């Protein structure tokens, strides 16, 4: 009835919406007026758009022209500077030449004729200079002697005898083009004198103001460069420079010719107008080149600074276009075309206006459906949480009571019944956990942990789960991990184990003969991609062809062949020899493959393998069981680990599932995780022990060697019985002495196919135990029937699947060695007894069955337990001071739930601490005389069957220290208690 009532309300609401939308539709006349108004406004808008785009195109054209002007002006300024710098360098070189050959040679190697000849011959290197001249520094005390030596009198620029002054700078050497400068005193002019004094004080070239050159009447400048005597240090002072000055070298630059020649060489010269100014006096700039009036297009101009090497004078180049840049036709056609397109778009929108109401109605319906879907998803999550709580709560009592029942004295039948019921209950809990995992993944609430764990130990534990059924079926179940895979990794061991367990469980379920092989390699060293395609040929019959796999049966994925396997083994060897670079990386990408020789997956069902609750066909669930959710969860977990999963399958041949996982290398050798110690604890008594392995299958030999290598055993391989006998004996048939292997491992099929000599030798060793150094013969069997077949010829039988721990125990038994691995630290129950013995623990739960189970579990480990059936009862028992060391609090209880009770407990503790601090502050000695202030914080652990809503964050938010999901086991209880309860010392016994 509620459903129909909801549908009726929903229909009524939709009718109201439709009525409202119909009321919003205007009349025909009003629609016509609105349409023409809209079109008028649209046309006006198009005109505005055309104007804006046209203006934008014009602005873009002008900006492009400005950028081109900047580029051309800067290029001309740079080239002018470069050519000027070349001429300055030549003048500098000429100054060094005069200093060397005139002042360092005695007598001087330089005279007027030599100077004129040299400068005339090298004039082509100074095309910008009209001529160069050298003026010698002459003091007044040296004037008379100097004039008598030169044969002429020092004159001023006006050709008059130079008046008396401190020093003179008469020209003694000059180029033929400026021969008229001979005997003229360069210091007779006021500006020339300042330039000379500035040049010799700074040691750098100095330029004069622009002036008209005598011959060309062009504007030019004179460059003055000081000539020093040798021995002047680099960091000389002004006084030292003045004293070391020998003379002055000058050169006249024709600026107009320089700029004219430069512009003539460049393209685009006719498009721009160039001016060169001397802006040393910014208020009165001097034009050195170009028209003085404002010619050309002055709206766009570019000013580029010029550096002629004189730090005291400033020059600049001003460039502008000779005429205004032309506006391209695209500035008109582009906005016109855009306006036409917009008008067409407007017409299309107008034509679609009639469908607007329908589209809006569809959107409203979609929003309603989306809201309903989200509400249904939330309801599904809440339903799963509630159902899981309601199922797990009674299951907690069932499993707890069964556990308590198994601790009592039962006969064999009763114990079998109880154990069967316990297994079924745990299977139901596992199914609930799978469904909840899927719900967590869909809700985005599943997170991946990052804790250290031992990968090889996890794989061994997974094999132990399926060892019984694999022996019953007689199939090979094995694991192989490459040596270059780090021993300890950081990741989520529980989820990694869940993926492996799902894949191996499926393989065991659907495999009746052959093998199941789990391989783990580094992705960078493996050539097995994670993307596979099913092969179209059907195969699965035994053709008699010898196939190099673990069991000899054909596998679905040819990439797991012995050739590729052999390449991986060679990579492992190279990594061990020190060529690995993976250790330098923080992240490690593993590639894991699970290969089986089962029934395979039909081609028509391979596209839905990872779909939740989907199986190959309806008969799969009836014949093999299962819900079809395991692979979908595995795929989601792999993606959460940053990897990918895929498979390759052939019907009647088998399947190979391959996935990658990105983990981190663990650098800390400490820590504890849920999957055991992060570092493997294997016996050391087998180091360097030699063993002969008789096995004709190379893949199986490599797997066996992997487990023996973990124990430190050196393996010698024999592919037939003749090779094995040769390894164990000398040519005369006697046993080898000294380095003879202690153990001979034989595969069951090799023992069945062994020749008469080997069987005779094995029987002799079996019957004559007194023979010294005779090797122990161990049979590797797959099924329980293999024990009876080989007991007459071998000393002991090791049942597969092989694990390092089980192999070590069997070897110790065969060699009659002391099993030191038994002398380890106590297991989890012993630790729990050590932690909980004598502790006062309060258990709060409204379910009496859960109270009995929790109390019995804790009492089993020596704890003193008191029970409370509500949060209010717990508050009365926990009033300070109390005697309890820890509290297990149920979350969902009537009247006051566990969260609220925890908040009240924390408030009482805070008030107690505040009162203690007040008493301590009021005490004269800083603390209370009767009782010192103390901090009391009760560890509170949540007990809940709601594994979705009762998250760890919610527990911490209300003040809890952690939580335990019901039903809890010894491992989970130990992890929760060990962090908050101090343990007693472990007895040495």
């Amino acid at each position: 009835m509620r459903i129909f009532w909801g549908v009726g309300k929903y229909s009524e609401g939709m009718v109201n919406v439709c009525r409202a939308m119909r009321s919003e539709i205007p009349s025909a006349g009003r629609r016509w007026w609105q349409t023409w108004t809209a079109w008028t406004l649209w046309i006006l808008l198009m005109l505005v758009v055309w104007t804006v785009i046209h203006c934008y195109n014009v602005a873009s054209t002008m900006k492009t022209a400005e950028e081109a002007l900047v580029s051309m002006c800067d290029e001309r300024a740079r080239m002018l500077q470069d050519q000027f710098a070349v001429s300055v360098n030549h003048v500098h070189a000429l100054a060094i030449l005069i200093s060397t050959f005139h002042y360092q040679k005695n007598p001087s190697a330089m005279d007027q004729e030599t100077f004129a000849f040299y400068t005339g011959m090298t004039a082509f290197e100074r095309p910008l200079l009209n001529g160069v001249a050298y003026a010698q520094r002459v003091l007044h005390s040296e004037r008379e002697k100097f004039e008598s030596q030169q044969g002429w009198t020092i004159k001023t620029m006006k050709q008059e005898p130079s008046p008396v002054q401190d020093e003179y700078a008469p020209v003694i050497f000059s180029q033929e083009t400026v021969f008229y400068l001979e005997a003229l005193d360069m210091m007779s002019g006021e500006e020339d004198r300042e330039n000379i004094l500035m040049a010799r004080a700074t040691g750098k070239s100095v330029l004069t103001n622009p002036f008209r050159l005598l011959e060309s009447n062009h504007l030019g400048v004179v460059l003055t460069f000081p000539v020093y005597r040798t021995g002047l240090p680099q960091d000389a002072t002004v006084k030292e420079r003045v004293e070391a000055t020998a003379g002055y070298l000058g050169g006249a630059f024709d600026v107009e010719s320089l700029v004219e020649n430069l512009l003539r060489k460049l393209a685009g010269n006719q498009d721009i107008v160039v001016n060169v100014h001397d802006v040393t006096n910014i208020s009165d700039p001097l034009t050195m080149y170009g028209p003085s009036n404002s010619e050309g297009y002055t709206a766009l101009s570019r000013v580029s600074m010029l550096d002629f090497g004189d730090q005291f004078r400033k020059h600049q180049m001003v460039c502008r276009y000779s005429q205004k840049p032309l506006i391209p036709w695209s500035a008109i056609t582009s906005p016109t075309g855009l306006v036409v397109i917009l008008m067409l778009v407007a017409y299309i929108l107008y034509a679609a206006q009639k469908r607007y109401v329908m589209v809006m109605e569809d959107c409203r319906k979609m929003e309603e459906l989306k809201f309903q879907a989200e509400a249904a998803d939330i309801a599904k999550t809440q339903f799963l949480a509630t159902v899981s709580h309601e199922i797990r709560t009674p299951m907690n009592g069932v499993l707890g009571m069964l556990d308590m029942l198994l601790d009592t004295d039962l006969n064999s039948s009763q114990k079998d019944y109880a154990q069967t019921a316990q297994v079924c209950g745990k299977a139901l809990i596992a199914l609930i956990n799978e469904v909840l995992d899927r719900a967590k993944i869909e809700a985005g609430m599943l997170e991946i942990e990052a804790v250290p764990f031992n990968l090889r130990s996890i794989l061994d534990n997974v094999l132990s789960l399926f060892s019984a059924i694999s022996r019953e079926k007689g199939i090979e179940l094995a694991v192989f991990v490459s040596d270059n895979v780090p021993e300890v990794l950081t990741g989520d061991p529980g989820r990694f184990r869940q993926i492996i367990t799902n894949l191996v469980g499926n393989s065991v379920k659907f495999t009746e003969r052959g093998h199941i092989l789990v391989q783990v390699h580094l992705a960078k060293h493996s050539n097995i991609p994670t993307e596979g395609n099913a092969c179209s040929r059907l195969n699965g019959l035994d053709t008699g062809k010898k196939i190099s796999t673990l069991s000899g049966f054909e596998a679905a994925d040819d990439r797991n062949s012995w050739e590729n396997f052999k390449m991986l083994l060679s990579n492992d060897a190279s990594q061990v020899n020190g060529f690995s670079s993976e250790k330098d990386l923080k992240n490690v990408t593993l590639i894991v493959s699970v290969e089986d020789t089962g029934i395979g997956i039909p081609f028509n069902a391979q596209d839905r393998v990872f779909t939740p609750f989907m199986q190959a066909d309806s008969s799969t669930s009836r014949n093999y069981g299962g819900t079809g959710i395991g692979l979908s969860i595995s795929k989601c977990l792999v993606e959460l680990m940053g990897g990918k999963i895929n498979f390759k399958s052939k019907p009647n041949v088998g399947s190979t599932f391959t996935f990658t996982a990105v983990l981190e290398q663990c650098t800390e050798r400490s820590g504890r995780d849920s999957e055991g110690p992060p570092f493997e604890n294997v016996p050391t008594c087998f180091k360097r022990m030699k063993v002969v392995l008789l096995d004709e299958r190379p893949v199986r030999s490599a797997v066996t060697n992997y487990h023996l290598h973990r124990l430190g055993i050196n393996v010698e391989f024999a592919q037939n019985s003749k090779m094995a006998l040769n390894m164990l004996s000398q040519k005369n048939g006697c046993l080898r002495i000294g380095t003879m292997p202690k153990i001979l491992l034989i595969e069951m099929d090799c023992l069945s196919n062994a020749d008469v000599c080997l069987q005779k030798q094995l029987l002799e060793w079996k019957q004559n135990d007194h023979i010294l150094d005779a090797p122990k013969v161990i049979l590797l069997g797959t099924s329980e029937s293999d024990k009876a077949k080989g007991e007459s010829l071998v000393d002991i039988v090791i049942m597969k699947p092989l694990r390092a721990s089980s192999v070590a125990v069997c070897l110790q038994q065969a060699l009659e060695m002391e099993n030191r691995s038994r002398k380890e630290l106590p297991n989890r129950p012993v630790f729990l007894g050590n932690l909980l013995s004598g502790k006062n623990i309060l258990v709060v739960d409204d379910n009496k069955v859960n109270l009995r189970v929790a109390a019995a579990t804790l009492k089993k480990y020596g704890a003193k337990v008191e029970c409370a059936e509500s949060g209010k009862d717990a508050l009365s028992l926990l009033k300070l001071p109390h005697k309890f060391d820890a509290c297990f609090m149920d979350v969902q209880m009537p009247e006051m739930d566990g969260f609220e009770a925890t908040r009240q407990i924390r408030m009482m503790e805070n008030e107690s601490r505040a009162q203690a601090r007040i008493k301590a502050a009021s005490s004269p000695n800083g603390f209370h005389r009767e009782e010192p202030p103390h901090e009391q914080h009760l560890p509170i652990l949540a007990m809940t069957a709601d594994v979705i809503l009762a998250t760890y964050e919610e527990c911490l938010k209300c003040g809890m220290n952690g939580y335990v999901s019901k039903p809890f086991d010894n491992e989970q209880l130990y992890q929760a208690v060990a962090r908050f309860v101090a343990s007693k010392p472990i007895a040495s016994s």
Side-chain angles (χ1 to χ4, degrees):
M1 292 298 294
R2 292 180 180 178
I3 295 176
F4 290 114
W5 179 82
V7 172
K9 295 293 290 182
Y10 176 74
S11 302
E12 182 181 355
M14 293 303 297
V15 169
N16 293 333
V17 170
C18 294
R19 290 175 179 175
M21 293 189 65
R22 285 197 299 270
S23 63
E24 293 177 359
I25 300 176
S27 61
R30 187 179 178 185
R31 289 200 305 271
W32 179 86
W33 172 253
Q34 290 178 349
T35 300
W36 279 105
T37 302
W39 274 108
T40 303
L41 294 176
W42 182 255
I43 292 174
L44 293 176
L45 178 62
M46 290 301 99
L47 293 176
V48 173
V49 170
W50 188 94
T51 304
V52 170
I53 296 176
H54 177 71
C55 295
Y56 174 79
N57 289 337
V58 172
S60 299
T61 301
M62 299 303 293
K63 183 177 180 181
T64 303
E66 183 180 4
E67 292 175 352
L69 180 64
V70 169
S71 176
M72 290 188 293
C73 191
D74 290 345
E75 181 184 10
R76 284 156 175 75
R78 176 177 50 80
M79 294 185 65
L80 181 60
Q81 288 182 170
D82 294 343
Q83 292 191 12
F84 196 90
V86 171
S87 299
V88 171
N89 291 337
H90 281 291
V91 174
H92 189 189
L94 189 58
I96 297 175
L97 182 69
I98 294 173
S99 176
T100 304
F101 290 95
H102 184 60
Y103 292 102
Q104 295 184 22
K105 300 292 184 178
N106 190 14
S108 174
M110 184 72 67
D111 54 12
Q112 170 58 32
E113 183 179 358
T114 304
F115 185 86
F117 176 78
Y118 177 79
T119 53
M121 295 298 294
T122 59
F124 69 93
E125 296 181 348
R126 303 179 300 279
L128 307 182
L129 292 174
N130 287 353
V132 292
Y134 174 68
Q136 182 175 331
R137 182 192 180 198
V138 179
L139 300 177
H140 179 70
S141 59
E142 302 173 348
R143 177 176 179 176
E144 183 178 353
K145 180 180 178 181
F146 174 79
E147 290 178 343
S148 62
Q149 289 177 350
Q150 297 294 332
W152 40 257
T153 303
I154 301 176
K155 301 177 182 179
T156 63
M157 292 293 182
K158 298 179 181 181
Q159 297 295 330
E160 297 176 355
S162 177
V164 177
Q165 53 189 21
D166 294 340
E167 58 179 296
Y168 311 90
V171 176
I172 60 174
F173 302 142
S174 62
Q175 191 175 346
E176 292 183 358
T177 56
V178 290
F179 67 93
Y180 51 84
L181 296 177
E182 185 177 5
L184 295 181
D185 183 10
M186 295 292 103
M187 298 185 71
S188 60
E190 185 65 27
E191 183 178 355
D192 294 336
R193 181 183 180 87
E194 291 179 359
N195 290 341
I196 289 174
L197 295 179
M198 192 179 301
R200 77 181 185 183
T202 60
K204 298 180 179 180
S205 59
V206 177
L207 295 174
T208 63
N209 284 330
F211 64 93
R212 292 289 176 179
L213 299 177
L214 295 179
E215 291 187 354
S216 62
N217 199 30
H218 291 169
L219 280 176
V221 294
V222 175
L223 174 71
T224 304
F225 205 97
V227 178
Y228 297 106
R229 294 182 179 87
T230 59
L232 182 67
Q234 294 291 335
D235 56 348
T237 62
V238 176
K239 182 178 180 181
E240 292 175 345
R241 292 182 182 277
V242 173
E243 293 177 353
T245 302
Y248 315 96
L249 186 66
F253 284 90
D254 188 346
V255 178
E256 289 189 17
S257 300
L258 171 63
V259 178
E260 191 68 32
N261 294 334
L262 173 65
L263 297 180
R264 192 181 300 115
K265 297 177 182 179
L266 296 176
N269 182 38
Q270 65 277 9
D271 297 334
I272 63 174
V273 178
V274 178
N275 285 87
V276 178
H277 302 286
D278 186 332
V279 291
T280 304
N281 185 6
I282 191 64
S283 61
D284 186 19
L286 300 176
T287 302
M288 301 174 65
Y289 174 81
S292 57
N293 56 350
S294 300
E295 293 183 2
Y297 182 66
T298 58
L300 290 179
S301 63
R302 169 65 177 179
V303 178
S304 299
M305 298 305 297
L306 299 173
D307 184 7
F308 288 152
D310 187 353
Q311 59 180 343
F312 302 103
R313 306 200 69 83
K314 297 180 180 179
H315 303 82
Q316 67 181 16
M317 177 182 287
V318 179
C319 305
R320 57 188 178 274
Y321 284 104
S322 58
Q323 59 183 359
K324 182 179 179 180
L326 298 177
I327 303 300
W329 279 102
S330 60
I332 300 175
T333 58
S334 296
T336 303
L338 181 61
V339 167
V340 171
I341 293 174
L342 292 178
M343 293 296 291
L344 293 176
V345 171
Y347 180 77
I348 294 174
L349 294 177
Y350 172 73
Q353 184 181 10
K354 297 180 180 180
R355 296 182 58 85
Y356 174 73
V357 175
M358 296 178 60
V359 172
M360 290 298 298
E361 181 65 19
D362 293 340
C363 291
R364 292 177 184 272
K365 291 181 179 180
M366 292 174 63
E367 289 292 334
E368 290 290 336
L369 293 175
K370 179 183 176 183
F371 177 77
Q372 294 176 10
E374 292 176 351
D377 186 65
I378 295 174
K380 182 193 70 173
T381 303
Q382 294 177 347
F383 171 77
L384 289 173
T386 304
V387 170
S388 67
H389 181 272
E390 296 301 327
I391 295 178
R392 293 170 69 94
T393 298
M395 283 305 301
N396 177 43
V398 172
L399 294 178
M401 289 300 177
L402 287 173
D403 190 50
M404 295 168 58
L405 179 62
L406 289 172
D407 290 336
T408 61
D409 294 333
L410 302 175
N411 57 38
S412 58
S413 299
Q414 294 171 339
K415 188 174 183 179
D416 180 63
Y417 297 156
Q419 288 177 343
T420 303
Q422 190 179 44
V423 169
C424 295
K426 290 183 178 180
L428 179 57
I429 290 294
L431 178 59
I432 295 173
N433 290 337
E434 285 187 349
V435 176
L436 294 178
D437 282 344
R438 185 67 198 182
K440 285 183 180 180
I441 292 171
E442 291 178 354
M445 301 172 60
L446 189 64
E447 297 181 356
I448 299 297
E449 294 182 346
V451 296
F453 69 95
N454 190 299
L455 175 67
R456 292 165 176 81
S457 297
I458 287 181
L459 295 176
D460 285 351
N461 293 339
V462 172
L463 291 188
S464 65
L465 295 177
F466 302 99
S467 59
I469 188 172
S470 65
R471 293 169 188 168
E472 180 181 349
K473 290 187 173 184
I475 58 177
E476 288 266 2
L477 178 59
V479 65
F480 178 85
V481 182
S482 294
D483 292 339
N484 49 29
V485 175
E487 180 183 1
V488 180
L489 297 168
T490 299
D492 194 329
R495 298 303 177 183
F496 190 86
R497 172 179 177 149
Q498 184 176 359
I499 298 171
I500 299 294
T501 302
N502 285 341
L503 296 179
V504 175
N506 284 342
S507 296
V508 172
K509 185 191 304 182
F510 297 108
T511 302
E512 299 297 334
R513 87 285 185 273
H515 67 271
I516 300 169
L517 176 60
V518 181
Q519 297 186 51
V520 182
H521 307 283
L522 292 182
K524 64 178 295 185
H525 299 143
S526 175
N527 57 352
I528 305 176
T530 57
E531 296 182 0
N533 298 319
C535 186
S536 60
R537 65 183 181 90
L538 297 177
N539 198 352
L541 301 177
D542 190 2
T543 60
K545 180 181 176 181
K546 185 177 181 181
I547 300 175
S548 184
T549 59
L550 181 66
S551 62
F553 286 87
E554 181 183 1
D557 196 345
D558 297 334
R559 295 168 295 185
N560 283 338
S561 62
W562 167 242
E563 287 73 16
N564 292 335
F565 201 85
K566 188 162 51 175
M567 292 176 60
L568 293 174
L569 293 179
S570 62
N571 286 336
D572 291 350
S574 63
Q575 301 305 317
V576 172
N577 292 332
F579 297 100
S580 176
S581 60
E582 190 72 25
K583 294 182 179 180
D584 300 332
L585 301 178
K586 180 181 179 181
N587 291 335
V588 177
T589 303
L590 301 182
I591 181 166
V592 185
S593 65
V594 179
E595 174 187 277
D596 66 65
T597 57
I599 63 175
I601 303 174
F603 294 116
N604 57 0
Q606 292 185 4
D607 56 347
R608 59 176 186 269
V609 165
F610 296 110
T611 304
F613 305 104
M614 293 293 293
Q615 292 188 334
D617 52 48
S618 58
S619 63
T620 303
S621 180
R622 295 194 303 267
N623 297 334
Y624 299 98
T627 59
I629 195 176
L631 287 178
S632 64
I633 293 176
S634 299
K635 182 177 185 295
C636 296
L637 294 178
V638 168
E639 292 174 352
L640 288 176
M641 292 183 180
K644 297 180 179 179
I645 185 171
N646 215 306
F647 70 96
K648 188 172 184 180
S649 182
K650 300 177 186 177
N652 302 321
V653 174
S655 304
T656 300
F657 282 81
T658 305
F659 71 91
T660 58
V662 180
L663 305 174
E664 294 182 3
Q665 293 211 52
C666 179
T667 57
E668 301 180 0
R669 299 187 65 90
S670 61
R672 180 174 61 231
D673 57 84
S674 61
E675 301 299 335
F679 286 86
E680 201 170 15
N681 185 16
V682 296
T684 59
C685 56
F686 301 107
K687 297 292 184 180
R688 299 184 183 87
M689 180 182 293
K690 292 187 177 181
V691 170
V692 174
L693 174 61
L694 176 56
D695 192 353
E696 59 184 10
R697 296 175 186 164
V699 175
R700 188 171 59 185
S701 301
V703 172
T704 305
N705 180 57
Y706 156 71
H707 293 285
L708 297 176
H709 180 69
R710 292 168 63 187
L711 301 175
I713 298 176
N714 297 327
V715 182
E716 298 181 7
F717 299 97
Q719 295 183 354
N720 51 58
S721 56
K722 184 177 180 181
M723 291 177 62
L725 289 176
N726 290 336
M727 292 178 181
L728 296 172
S729 62
Q730 295 178 347
K731 293 183 179 180
N732 55 6
C734 299
L735 290 175
R736 283 194 337 196
I737 300 176
T739 60
M740 187 183 117
K742 291 186 177 182
I743 296 175
L744 172 62
L745 294 175
I746 305 178
E747 288 288 345
M748 184 61 205
D749 53 354
C750 295
L751 182 63
S752 302
N753 301 329
D755 56 13
V756 179
C757 295
L758 179 60
Q759 294 184 2
K760 181 179 179 181
Q761 186 66 60
L762 295 179
L763 186 60
E764 181 181 350
W765 288 342
K766 178 75 173 179
Q767 295 176 354
N768 298 283
D769 294 337
H770 62 278
I771 298 178
L772 297 177
D773 296 330
K776 297 294 183 180
V777 182
I778 299 178
L779 178 65
L780 301 178
T782 303
S783 61
E784 296 293 339
S785 60
D786 294 341
K787 287 186 178 181
K789 295 179 182 179
E791 285 183 350
S792 60
L793 298 176
V794 300
D795 296 301
I796 193 173
V797 179
I798 298 180
M799 297 303 300
K800 295 182 181 181
L802 298 181
R803 292 177 294 132
S805 57
S806 62
V807 172
V809 172
C810 293
L811 293 181
Q812 288 173 341
Q813 180 181 354
L815 298 175
E816 298 178 356
M817 301 170 61
E818 181 184 359
N819 191 356
R820 298 180 181 178
S821 61
R822 298 294 184 182
K823 297 181 179 181
E824 299 174 349
L825 291 176
N827 53 15
R828 291 289 197 254
V830 176
F831 274 124
L832 278 173
N834 178 60
L835 288 172
L836 299 177
S837 179
K839 303 294 183 181
N840 292 302
I841 296 180
L842 177 63
V843 180
V844 185
D845 200 323
D846 60 321
N847 190 299
K848 294 184 179 181
V849 176
N850 290 341
L851 278 178
R852 291 181 60 187
V853 173
T857 303
L858 296 172
K859 288 179 181 179
K860 184 170 61 174
Y861 300 110
K864 300 176 182 178
V865 182
E866 289 192 26
C867 299
E869 296 185 2
S870 66
K872 292 183 178 180
D873 295 342
L875 290 179
S876 62
L877 293 174
L878 293 175
K879 289 184 178 180
L880 297 175
H882 58 74
K883 62 179 180 179
F884 296 102
D885 299 302
C887 175
F888 285 80
M889 180 81 67
D890 187 25
V891 173
Q892 296 184 4
M893 293 184 294
E895 296 183 1
M896 180 183 293
D897 60 13
F899 295 136
E900 181 61 29
T902 302
R903 294 189 188 97
Q904 296 291 337
I905 294 171
R906 297 309 182 206
M907 290 178 59
M908 291 191 301
E909 293 176 349
N910 293 334
E911 292 176 358
S912 175
R913 285 193 290 269
Q915 293 176 2
R917 284 194 291 268
I918 293 174
K919 291 181 180 180
S922 62
S923 176
N925 296 330
F927 60 88
H928 198 265
R929 295 181 180 273
E930 298 178 359
E931 182 181 358
H934 61 279
E935 297 285 336
Q936 186 167 1
H937 183 83
L938 178 68
I940 301 177
L941 302 175
M943 293 191 308
T944 176
D946 188 355
V947 296
I948 290 183
L949 298 180
T951 60
Y952 186 65
E953 289 77 9
E954 292 182 58
C955 296
L956 292 181
K957 186 176 180 180
C958 71
M960 293 183 177
N961 301 96
Y963 78 97
V964 180
S965 298
K966 295 185 292 187
F968 52 79
D969 54 10
N970 295 339
E971 182 72 25
Q972 189 182 24
L973 181 62
Y974 171 78
Q975 289 187 0
V977 173
R979 289 180 291 176
F980 307 108
V981 180
S983 62
K984 296 181 179 180
I986 300 175
S988 59
S989 59

